[in-house]
């Protein structure tokens, strides 16, 4: 079981989806309990996984000797013979390292809380939980897969359950929001598809190729020596075309030696497309694909619609996890495979981050609907992720990852808060309420925790993330971009404090008043169920705010590896590309 | 190149060739038996006729399959017909489609008219398609094309409603015109080369020696036009929506798969023979590939964007098939670059998806009279299984994972991009890029019907017939399972395709 724990984490929700379909649809309590049990089990599994990391030595796989994976699992899946084009290998390759460990934990927490938040859903519960589990499985799959094909499969497949969950259980404009979400993210993923095709045409699997050209009898015996031999023969063009095993393996793609000389994305003998390098174009396409999912301004317009129309638990999953899929994809794929791209485009990316931050915050300030306000605050926080990535040093990347994690917890809590209010009165307008703290004191405390955490008050998880990002961007200011950029970013902090505090003041403080049409009697304080979903999140936000090392430990090593790749490999690649382009 | 040389003398050659024509012969025999039974035994049960049909199809498919493994290719009847791995695969695909279609007809409610005639026409059409897929001579191509056409005109009119008669007439008039054009093209080519044998020495020499390049180019295009018409490529697509709408579902299912599969196969053989024909025009050379690429691009764009506005199920599928025809033509273009396997995979996916979708369409039509978008409102609740199948099939048509539609589109884009890299012809790049982006647009209309079924409430004018569950749902289920299984085990399908000897 130890060897297969990653697969169990991916497939447990998928199996649960099938089991859910077999349960009787009249027995709603059973369905809920089953869902709760299954997600709790996933949570336990991921906790076991995280806490036992150091105890299980990493098993070496010969693709990236320097990169430490905590767990890796690889199975042959499809090996196609495409005649004179060569062979094509798709493997089932999942692995855990510092980049995705935190994301798996976050998903497990948020998905569990999401089931508690779904308790009040009555309409077609069976279908709801089946789709919820499909979504959960593809989320885990997306975070864990290290094969591009597998990643893309989960990345795309995530859209379908999400589309139905928004479109069927959502608010008044659900259909519009669902199709908008689908079309936006699908167009994003097509940019990724283009690069995926280019990549697998260019990259070979050194291990399988070694077997194919007869260096070793089988995969198990391949060692570093053979890989070097393959690289040598490849660079000299000694391997015939039909013996090359093309691959979707992301680890192979991260090593430039695996690129076939003269192929479209190769550095050696790379192409020059009218003064542009295909590698740079590929980086930009991937970047574009992932920032649509992230989302960054100007591709963010699907987000407020989807968040506002989705039912509370789905908003929670959407903001808590799905946005992070975009951010995680950015870290793993464009940064890992085309490290020179981030060096080249650091400044524009930082500008994009700044715009997202400021524009998102200003929008949040103007929103009349509490849920929309929270949605725009997500856009602003994702701006921080972009800023951290653009800094491309350990602090910045750590900050970006920490922001993904902390924003996952905080935004989940925020959407739950909006849901609590909406459940009671069916009205989320800020102007409909005043002085709620008199009627709902416990609720108000939760709101204060979430709001303060979100605008980065010290002591909460959000603070650590923001401080790391700022450390990162101030360190490189003057080098990668002018100093005014990080200074302007601090304006984002002020704005976020402004919209949260102003909302707090308008809705919760002052004399008690609500819009006369709303049922005043329904404004009871938190129920046990609501405590059970808000409290754990609040505690986690505190813990990760006070002991950041708990999380940073997980990611440090991989982040350092990534920084190394960006700095060294990226520098080398960039020099080679610029030389090729004759600049 | 291993070629099985069949005995030189004419008679012996024909006799020896007959052995390899057995699948077609079986189909014709089946056709005559059904016709005889239909004329003499007026009260023969439907089941009996279906049994004869299925037996002849499966026997024929079995014989076809038994030819494998095959030396690279076998010439039959002095090169009139070529038997090769690609042809056998296409034939098997045609048989599969034929079997599904006959079952669709068998489960159809309220036939107008005789069963025997229908089965007779289907068998004739299948035989014609098998011949077309393997013919390598312009004359045999013409004959088999005519066989398909005549059978399909009759089949479209089979519903005997005003609308379908109109559709059949349109189809007939357009079809007759293109036939004339085809014959004209053939006669011009004969004038140039003195031969009609695509692989023959005289023919190729004639093409190379032709003095009037412009006329030769026109002649080639005229020959292509008839096949482009069959596959409904722009600008020869005009018949498609009306004929699709007018035909009954089994006929539609048949027309969307069998003639198109055979036609695109013949097209690929023609393109293989003519790929070097080019035309110098005001200093620039235009080759046939460029023209076809433009037509493919136009079909994709036109089909996709027109489908966006369709609310009738059959018309939407008609425009979808026009867009698909563009993709198929793109797949043909990369065949000479070594992409036969990708071409076969794409065509197989297309056939399976369409068969499944039309079986479901018929299911909805029979149970709910559902044809336009409004009729589909809220039907998911009534039939969850059928609804889920429709979602999966539509996702497959769009080309998203986890369906075979995704794998085949992925490999098609690969093949196109690979061809671009190999020869540097820019039209391959355009086809790749357009293909990828049209996928997003196509999502919008493919999801239209699932969307109406799932998200909308049942309307007032809802008509439900209490039809008993028929086998149609099983047909759709079979197709869906195929596209799912082959996504996860693409190697099962590709290994089979790759084991075929490739030749043109």
């Amino acid at each position: 079981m130890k060897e297969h724990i990653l697969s169990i984490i991916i497939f447990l929700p998928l199996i649960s989806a099938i089991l859910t379909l077999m349960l009787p649809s009249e027995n709603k309590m059973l369905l809920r309990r089953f869902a709760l049990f299954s997600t709790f089990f996933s949570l336990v599994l991921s906790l076991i996984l995280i806490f036992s990391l150091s105890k299980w030595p990493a098993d070496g796989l010969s693709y990236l000797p320097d990169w430490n994976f905590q767990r890796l699992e690889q199975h042959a899946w499809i090996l196609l013979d495409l005649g004179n084009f060569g062979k094509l290998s798709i493997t089932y390759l999942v692995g855990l390292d510092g980049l995705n460990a935190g994301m798996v934990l976050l998903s497990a927490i948020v998905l569990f809380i999401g089931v508690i938040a779904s308790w009040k859903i009555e309409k077609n519960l069976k279908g709801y939980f089946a789709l919820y589990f499909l979504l959960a499985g593809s989320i885990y799959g997306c975070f864990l897969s290290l094969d591009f094909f597998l990643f893309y499969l989960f990345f795309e497949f995530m859209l379908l359950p999400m589309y139905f969950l928004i479109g069927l259980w959502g608010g008044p404009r659900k259909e519009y929001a669902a199709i908008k979400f689908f079309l936006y993210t699908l167009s994003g993923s097509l940019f990724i598809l283009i690069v995926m095709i280019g990549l697998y045409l260019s990259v070979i699997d050194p291990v399988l190729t070694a077997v194919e050209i007869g260096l070793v009898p089988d995969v198990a015996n391949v060692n570093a020596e053979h890989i070097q031999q393959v690289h040598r023969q490849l660079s000299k063009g000694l391997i015939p075309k039909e013996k090359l095993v093309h691959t979707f393996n992301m680890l192979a793609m991260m090593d430039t030696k695996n690129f076939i000389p003269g192929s479209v994305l190769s550095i050696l003998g790379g192409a020059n497309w009218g003064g542009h390098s295909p590698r740079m174009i590929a980086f930009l396409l991937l970047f574009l694909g992932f920032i649509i999912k992230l989302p960054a301004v100007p591709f963010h317009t699907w987000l407020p619609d989807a968040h506002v129309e989705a039912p509370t638990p789905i908003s929670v999953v959407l903001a808590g996890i799905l946005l992070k899929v975009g951010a995680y994809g950015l870290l793993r794929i464009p940064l890992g495979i085309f490290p020179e791209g981030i060096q080249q485009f650091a400044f524009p990316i930082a500008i994009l981050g700044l715009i997202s931050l400021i524009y998102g915050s200003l929008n949040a300030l103007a929103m009349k609907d509490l849920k929309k306000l929270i949605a725009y605050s997500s856009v602003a926080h994702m701006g921080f992720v972009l800023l951290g990535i653009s800094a491309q040093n350990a602090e910045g990347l750590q900050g970006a990852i920490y922001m993904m994690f902390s924003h996952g917890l905080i935004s989940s809590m925020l959407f739950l808060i909006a849901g609590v209010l909406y459940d009671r009165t069916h009205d989320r307008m800020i102007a409909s309420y005043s002085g709620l703290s008199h009627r709902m004191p416990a609720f108000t405390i939760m709101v204060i925790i979430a709001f303060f955490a979100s605008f980065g008050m010290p002591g909460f998880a959000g603070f650590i993330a923001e401080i790391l990002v700022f450390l990162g961007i101030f360190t490189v200011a003057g080098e990668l971009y002018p100093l005014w950029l990080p200074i302007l970013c601090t304006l984002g902090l002020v704005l976020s404090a402004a919209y949260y505090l102003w909302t707090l003041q308008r809705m919760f403080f002052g004399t008690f008043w609500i819009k006369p049409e709303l049922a005043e009697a329904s404004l009871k304080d938190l129920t046990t169920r609501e405590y059970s979903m808000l409290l754990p999140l609040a505690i986690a936000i505190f813990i990760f705010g006070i002991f950041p090392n708990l999380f940073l430990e997980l990611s440090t090593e991989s982040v350092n590896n990534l920084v190394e790749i960006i700095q060294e490999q990226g520098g080398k690649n960039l020099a080679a590309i610029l030389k090729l382009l004759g600049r | 190149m291993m070629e099985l040389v069949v005995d030189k003398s004419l008679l012996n050659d024909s006799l020896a060739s007959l052995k390899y024509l057995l699948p077609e012969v079986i189909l014709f025999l089946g056709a005559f038996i059904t016709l005889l039974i239909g004329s003499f035994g007026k009260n023969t049960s439907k089941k009996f006729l279906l049994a004869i049909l299925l037996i002849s199809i499966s026997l024929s498919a079995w014989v076809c399959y038994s030819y494998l493994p095959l030396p690279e290719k076998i010439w039959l009847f002095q090169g009139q017909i070529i038997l090769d791995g690609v042809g056998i695969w296409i034939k098997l695909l045609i048989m599969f489609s034929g079997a599904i279609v006959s079952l669709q007809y068998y489960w159809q409610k309220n036939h107008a008219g005789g069963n025997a005639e229908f089965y007779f026409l289907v068998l004739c059409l299948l035989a014609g398609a098998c011949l077309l897929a393997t013919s390598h001579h312009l004359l045999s191509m013409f004959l088999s094309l005519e066989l398909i056409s005549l059978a399909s005109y009759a089949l479209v009119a089979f519903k005997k409603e005003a609308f379908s008669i109109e559709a059949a007439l349109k189809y007939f008039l357009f079809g007759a015109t293109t036939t004339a054009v085809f014959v004209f093209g053939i006669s011009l080519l004969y004038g140039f080369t003195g031969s009609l044998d695509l692989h023959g020495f005289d023919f190729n020499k004639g093409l190379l020696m032709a003095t009037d390049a412009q006329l030769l180019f026109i002649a080639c295009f005229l020959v292509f036009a008839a096949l482009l018409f069959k596959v409904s490529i722009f600008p020869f697509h005009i018949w498609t929506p009306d004929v699709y709408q007018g035909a009954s579902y089994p006929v539609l299912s048949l027309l969307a798969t069998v003639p198109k599969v055979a036609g695109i196969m013949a097209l690929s053989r023609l393109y293989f023979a003519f790929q070097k024909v080019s035309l110098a025009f005001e200093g620039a050379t235009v080759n046939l590939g460029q023209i076809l690429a433009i037509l493919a691009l136009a079909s994709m764009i036109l089909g996709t964007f027109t489908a966006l506005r369709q609310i009738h199920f059959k018309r939407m599928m008609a425009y979808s098939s026009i867009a698909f025809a563009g993709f198929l033509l793109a797949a043909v273009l990369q065949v000479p670059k070594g992409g036969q396997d990708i071409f076969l995979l794409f065509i197989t996916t297309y056939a399976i998806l369409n068969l499944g979708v039309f079986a479901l369409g018929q299911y909805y039509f029979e149970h709910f009279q559902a044809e336009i978008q409004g009729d589909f409102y809220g039907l998911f609740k009534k039939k969850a299984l059928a609804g889920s199948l429709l979602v999966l099939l539509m996702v497959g048509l769009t080309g998203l994972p986890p369906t075979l539609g995704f794998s085949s589109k992925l490999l098609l884009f690969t093949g196109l991009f690979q061809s671009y890299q190999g020869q540097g012809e820019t039209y391959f790049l355009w086809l790749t890029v357009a293909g990828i982006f049209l996928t997003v647009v196509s999502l919008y209309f493919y999801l239209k019907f699932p969307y109406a079924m799932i998200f909308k409430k049942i309307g007032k004018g809802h008509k439900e017939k209490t039809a008993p569950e028929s086998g149609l749902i099983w047909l759709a289920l079979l197709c869906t399972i195929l596209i799912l299984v082959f996504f996860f085990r693409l190697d099962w399908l590709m290994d089979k395709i790759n084991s075929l000897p490739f030749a043109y």
Side-chain angles (χ1 to χ4, degrees):
Chain A
M1 144 138 184
K2 262 198 208 165
E3 301 79 54
H4 299 297
I5 186 159
L6 297 181
S7 299
I8 295 174
I9 288 182
I10 297 174
F11 286 102
L12 179 71
L14 299 178
I15 293 167
S16 302
I18 297 169
L19 288 178
T20 304
L21 286 178
M22 291 173 180
L23 294 175
S25 53
E26 314 83 56
N27 196 342
K28 293 192 169 162
M29 217 36 169
L30 180 68
L31 283 166
R32 291 185 188 119
R33 285 201 180 124
F34 174 73
L36 192 66
F37 171 75
S38 166
T39 48
F40 181 70
F41 194 60
S42 294
L43 180 60
V44 172
L45 274 178
S46 61
L47 283 173
I48 293 176
L49 185 69
I50 302 291
F51 281 110
S52 58
L53 276 187
S54 47
K55 284 178 201 153
W56 293 341
D59 29 10
L61 231 124
S62 10
Y63 294 101
L64 273 186
D66 302 331
W67 193 293
N68 231 344
F69 278 98
Q70 295 294 343
R71 304 233 56 79
L72 266 181
E73 199 181 325
Q74 186 171 27
H75 301 289
W77 179 12
I78 296 174
L79 186 65
L80 290 183
D81 190 348
L82 292 176
N84 57 6
F85 161 64
K87 288 202 160 66
L88 170 59
S89 135
I90 303 171
T91 53
Y92 174 81
L93 175 64
V94 290
L96 190 80
D97 64 359
L99 296 184
N100 55 14
M103 293 303 109
V104 172
L105 181 63
L106 174 73
S107 313
I109 297 173
V110 173
L111 287 167
F112 175 65
I113 303 278
V115 172
I116 306 180
S118 314
W119 222 252
K120 281 283 175 60
I121 284 178
E122 295 286 335
K123 191 178 140 196
N124 194 2
L125 206 58
K126 192 163 149 178
Y128 174 83
F129 277 123
L131 288 170
Y132 189 85
F133 279 124
L134 279 184
L135 180 65
S138 38
I139 286 170
Y140 287 122
C142 207
F143 280 134
L144 288 171
S145 27
L146 293 175
D147 186 277
F148 211 142
F149 189 88
L150 199 62
F151 173 86
Y152 191 79
L153 164 66
F154 285 123
F155 191 79
E156 288 272 86
F157 191 67
M158 209 183 287
L159 302 183
L160 270 184
M162 203 59 186
Y163 170 69
F164 290 120
L165 283 169
I166 298 175
L168 283 175
W169 285 270
R173 287 168 71 238
K174 55 191 178 185
E175 290 148 16
Y176 169 75
I179 196 79
K180 192 169 176 182
F181 163 79
F182 205 149
L183 287 177
Y184 262 72
T185 29
L186 182 71
S187 26
S189 53
L190 286 176
F191 291 114
I192 299 169
L193 178 71
I194 296 174
V195 182
M196 182 171 101
I197 294 175
L199 269 171
Y200 90 82
L201 287 174
S202 310
V203 181
I204 60 150
D205 187 323
V207 176
L208 293 176
T209 307
V211 177
E212 191 65 29
I213 57 176
L215 284 180
V216 266
D218 60 79
V219 179
N221 295 325
V222 177
N223 59 27
E225 180 63 32
H226 298 128
I227 306 261
Q228 274 182 8
Q229 230 168 315
V230 169
H231 287 158
R232 219 174 305 131
Q233 293 194 17
L234 184 70
S235 62
K236 287 182 189 145
L238 294 177
I239 307 177
K241 241 180 157 186
E242 58 277 4
K243 292 269 183 189
L244 292 171
V245 183
H246 294 255
T247 186
F248 284 96
N249 190 327
M250 283 193 217
L251 305 181
M253 289 171 181
M254 285 168 77
D255 188 349
T256 43
K257 290 197 213 72
N258 290 328
F259 283 74
I260 303 163
S263 60
V264 59
L265 290 177
S266 154
I267 294 200
L268 201 64
N272 180 346
W273 284 359
H276 302 282
S277 160
R279 275 179 78 90
M280 288 296 177
I281 295 170
F283 174 83
L284 288 178
L285 287 176
L286 281 176
F287 188 77
L288 195 61
F290 285 118
I291 61 168
I292 291 175
K293 188 94 174 172
L294 186 64
V297 176
F299 307 107
H300 65 288
T301 54
W302 65 267
L303 180 125
D305 283 314
H307 276 53
V308 170
E309 298 307 325
T312 307
I314 300 309
S315 303
V316 168
V317 174
L318 199 56
I321 315 174
L322 282 204
L323 306 189
K324 277 78 206 175
V325 173
Y328 166 75
L330 267 184
L331 287 172
R332 172 75 72 195
I333 299 172
L335 259 58
I337 299 175
F338 303 109
E340 68 274 20
I342 186 77
Q343 289 212 350
Q344 177 84 336
F345 298 110
F347 186 50
I349 291 173
I351 292 282
L352 203 61
L354 177 68
I355 293 173
S356 293
L357 178 58
I358 303 291
Y359 182 77
S361 303
L362 286 174
N363 257 313
L365 206 54
M367 284 302 131
K368 298 190 172 88
D369 181 333
L370 183 61
K371 221 173 173 182
K372 269 203 165 153
L373 180 143
I374 300 169
Y376 274 106
S377 90
S378 289
V379 175
H381 281 90
M382 291 302 112
F384 272 119
V385 173
L386 278 184
L387 282 167
I389 287 173
S390 76
Q392 51 188 292
N393 50 15
E395 297 89 339
L397 292 180
Q398 281 280 25
I401 296 177
Y402 213 94
M403 178 55 88
M404 283 149 69
F405 186 73
S406 69
H407 178 261
L409 297 175
I410 297 168
S411 66
S412 306
M413 195 165 164
L414 288 169
F415 277 110
L416 288 173
I417 283 167
V420 166
L421 205 58
Y422 186 73
D423 281 348
R424 284 169 172 64
T425 57
H426 294 278
D427 188 343
R428 291 181 307 244
M429 290 299 145
I430 295 173
S432 306
Y433 304 93
S434 163
L436 280 175
S437 63
H438 299 291
R439 290 297 172 93
M440 307 168 76
F443 178 59
T444 310
I445 290 173
M446 290 298 171
V447 173
I448 290 174
I449 293 174
F451 278 13
F452 278 40
S454 187
F455 70 69
M457 193 72 169
F460 298 98
F463 170 71
I464 310 286
E466 289 179 8
I467 202 80
L468 280 169
V469 169
F470 274 109
L471 268 178
I473 54 177
F474 270 108
T475 319
V476 293
E479 244 179 85
L480 293 177
Y481 31 77
L483 190 64
W484 55 261
L485 193 137
I487 293 177
L488 265 183
C489 291
T490 51
L491 188 65
L493 285 185
V494 180
L495 284 174
S496 67
Y499 60 76
Y500 277 126
L501 291 178
W502 190 33
T503 310
L504 208 57
Q505 184 214 330
R506 280 182 293 173
M507 290 182 78
F508 292 90
F509 300 148
T511 49
F512 176 76
W513 173 86
I514 63 169
K515 213 162 128 194
E517 299 92 77
L518 303 179
E520 200 183 317
S522 62
L523 279 178
K524 301 249 165 42
D525 212 344
L526 295 177
T527 62
T528 326
R529 181 181 66 90
E530 287 158 354
Y531 269 120
S532 69
M533 53 194 201
L534 288 174
L535 257 187
L537 285 175
I539 292 169
I541 290 169
F542 267 118
I543 291 178
F544 287 104
I546 298 169
F547 306 108
N549 257 357
L550 280 181
F551 184 84
L552 291 179
E553 251 176 24
L554 287 178
S555 52
T556 308
E557 201 184 333
S558 300
V559 167
N560 287 339
N561 283 338
L562 191 59
V563 170
E564 206 173 298
I565 285 186
I566 292 173
Q567 303 293 358
E568 289 185 13
Q569 193 65 51
K572 258 192 258 166
N573 293 356
L574 192 62
I577 287 173
L578 291 181
K579 199 174 143 201
L580 188 85
L581 298 181
R583 290 199 205 143
Chain B
M1 288 276 247
M2 221 179 90
E3 286 190 33
L4 198 82
V5 183
V6 184
D7 200 326
K8 290 275 182 266
S9 94
L10 218 60
L11 184 65
N12 281 346
D13 173 39
S14 299
L15 286 177
S17 299
L18 266 182
K19 184 178 127 205
Y20 290 104
L21 210 62
L22 204 53
E24 285 83 354
V25 172
I26 293 173
L27 288 178
F28 277 124
L29 274 179
F32 287 123
I33 293 172
T34 42
L35 194 63
L36 284 177
I37 293 175
S39 328
F40 295 111
K42 286 282 179 220
N43 301 320
T44 335
S45 77
K46 219 164 122 186
K47 227 175 226 162
F48 182 62
L49 284 168
L50 179 77
I52 292 178
L53 181 106
L54 284 183
I55 287 171
S56 45
I57 287 182
S58 40
L59 201 64
S60 162
W62 178 73
V63 172
C64 220
Y65 189 76
S66 71
Y67 293 147
L68 293 173
L70 194 73
E72 199 169 73
K73 51 189 154 185
I74 302 174
W75 298 108
L76 308 175
F77 303 105
Q78 295 92 44
Q80 291 266 348
I81 285 174
I82 178 178
L83 190 69
D84 56 358
V86 192
I88 288 187
W89 183 266
I90 294 286
K91 278 189 193 181
L92 290 175
L93 194 60
I94 289 169
M95 309 284 184
F96 175 74
S97 314
I100 298 267
V101 167
S102 1
L103 286 170
Q104 252 178 287
Y105 179 78
Y106 176 71
W107 280 311
Q108 189 188 29
K109 307 279 173 326
N110 316 322
H111 299 288
N115 303 309
E117 289 88 332
F118 183 88
Y119 288 140
F120 167 72
L121 288 171
V122 167
L123 283 170
C124 287
L125 202 153
L126 291 184
C130 285
L131 283 174
L132 182 59
T134 43
S135 49
H136 209 272
H137 190 284
L138 286 171
L139 211 53
S140 60
M141 217 170 250
F142 171 72
L143 286 175
S144 40
L145 201 60
E146 276 308 277
L147 188 53
I148 296 180
S149 300
L150 290 173
S152 37
Y153 304 145
L155 279 170
V156 173
F158 213 73
K159 220 164 97 183
K160 292 182 185 155
E161 283 169 14
F163 199 75
S164 54
I165 303 281
E166 185 196 324
L169 194 63
K170 268 185 191 164
Y171 194 24
F172 175 68
L173 288 177
F174 279 123
T177 316
T178 47
T179 305
V181 165
F182 187 68
V183 177
F184 185 50
I186 291 183
S187 64
L188 285 178
L189 283 177
Y190 190 75
F192 275 113
T193 63
S195 159
L196 290 176
D197 186 354
L198 288 179
H199 81 287
F201 176 73
D202 292 343
F203 191 77
N204 286 314
K205 191 178 147 210
L207 285 185
L208 289 175
M209 306 285 282
T211 44
D212 192 345
Q214 252 164 346
L215 193 59
L216 176 66
F217 198 75
I218 292 170
C220 290
F221 192 74
L222 293 180
V223 171
F224 270 92
L227 289 167
L228 294 176
F229 168 81
K230 269 274 160 289
V231 197
S232 54
I233 295 274
F234 173 87
F236 307 101
H237 65 284
I238 314 164
W239 59 276
T240 322
D242 285 340
V243 171
Y244 269 46
Q245 197 179 350
S248 67
Y249 271 103
V251 174
L252 174 51
S253 205
L254 187 72
L255 286 187
T257 50
V258 176
K260 293 202 175 183
V261 166
I264 202 81
M265 185 63 223
L267 206 57
S268 79
R269 290 191 200 279
L270 272 187
Y271 181 60
F272 209 84
F274 288 135
Q275 51 174 320
K276 289 187 194 73
V277 172
S278 64
L279 175 67
F281 187 71
E282 290 182 359
T285 24
V286 185
N287 62 28
L288 208 54
Q290 276 162 328
I291 301 284
L292 291 180
I294 290 169
L295 295 186
L297 210 57
S299 303
M300 285 180 196
I301 294 171
L302 179 117
T304 310
F305 281 97
T306 321
L308 286 178
R309 297 189 57 87
Q310 303 304 321
I311 54 164
H312 194 288
F313 187 78
K314 287 175 175 173
R315 286 188 90 87
M316 191 272 280
M317 282 310 293
Y319 284 104
S320 137
S321 81
I322 293 172
F324 251 97
F327 280 99
L328 287 169
L329 190 55
V332 166
L333 291 178
Q334 48 103 48
V335 165
K337 318 274 183 213
Q340 303 97 324
D341 42 358
I342 295 172
F343 167 69
L344 282 188
L345 175 71
F346 199 82
I347 211 169
T348 311
T349 313
Y350 166 80
I352 297 177
L353 281 169
N354 270 274
L355 289 170
V357 166
F358 287 126
L360 266 186
Q362 187 182 350
Y363 178 86
Y364 277 109
F365 181 66
E366 283 177 7
H367 283 262
F368 303 104
Q369 296 282 300
E371 278 201 307
I372 57 169
Q373 202 184 359
D375 301 339
F376 281 84
Y377 283 2
L379 290 189
F380 191 87
K381 273 223 171 88
K382 300 243 169 193
K383 304 276 181 204
L385 175 64
S388 322
L389 293 181
L390 191 64
V391 173
L392 282 169
L393 287 169
M394 288 298 178
V395 163
L397 281 172
T398 317
L400 296 183
T403 61
L404 188 58
F406 174 71
S407 322
S408 55
K409 270 199 179 167
L410 180 75
L411 286 181
L412 175 65
F413 296 146
T414 305
L416 288 174
F417 192 77
Q418 194 72 10
S419 314
Y420 164 70
Q421 272 202 306
Q423 304 288 320
E425 281 143 341
T426 35
Y427 60 79
F428 283 116
L429 189 65
W430 286 111
L431 286 171
T432 319
V433 173
I436 290 179
F437 280 98
L438 288 173
T439 301
V440 190
V441 183
S442 68
L443 174 81
Y444 192 80
F445 64 81
Y446 282 129
L447 276 189
K448 206 179 240 176
F449 288 91
Y451 170 87
M453 271 169 34
I454 297 173
F455 291 141
K456 297 284 186 183
K457 297 260 177 327
I458 289 186
K460 277 182 206 139
H462 175 69
K463 306 156 249 183
E464 184 173 351
K465 281 188 179 174
T466 46
E469 284 288 332
S470 61
L472 287 169
I473 194 84
W474 300 113
L475 296 181
L477 187 68
L478 171 71
C479 294
T480 315
I481 288 174
L482 284 180
I483 63 160
L484 289 180
V485 166
F486 287 140
F487 170 77
F488 287 104
R489 301 292 347 179
L490 183 61
D491 40 346
W492 290 352
L493 192 60
M494 283 307 269
D495 284 350
K496 204 79 222 154
I497 290 177
N498 276 324
S499 72
L500 303 169
F502 277 120
Y504 266 87

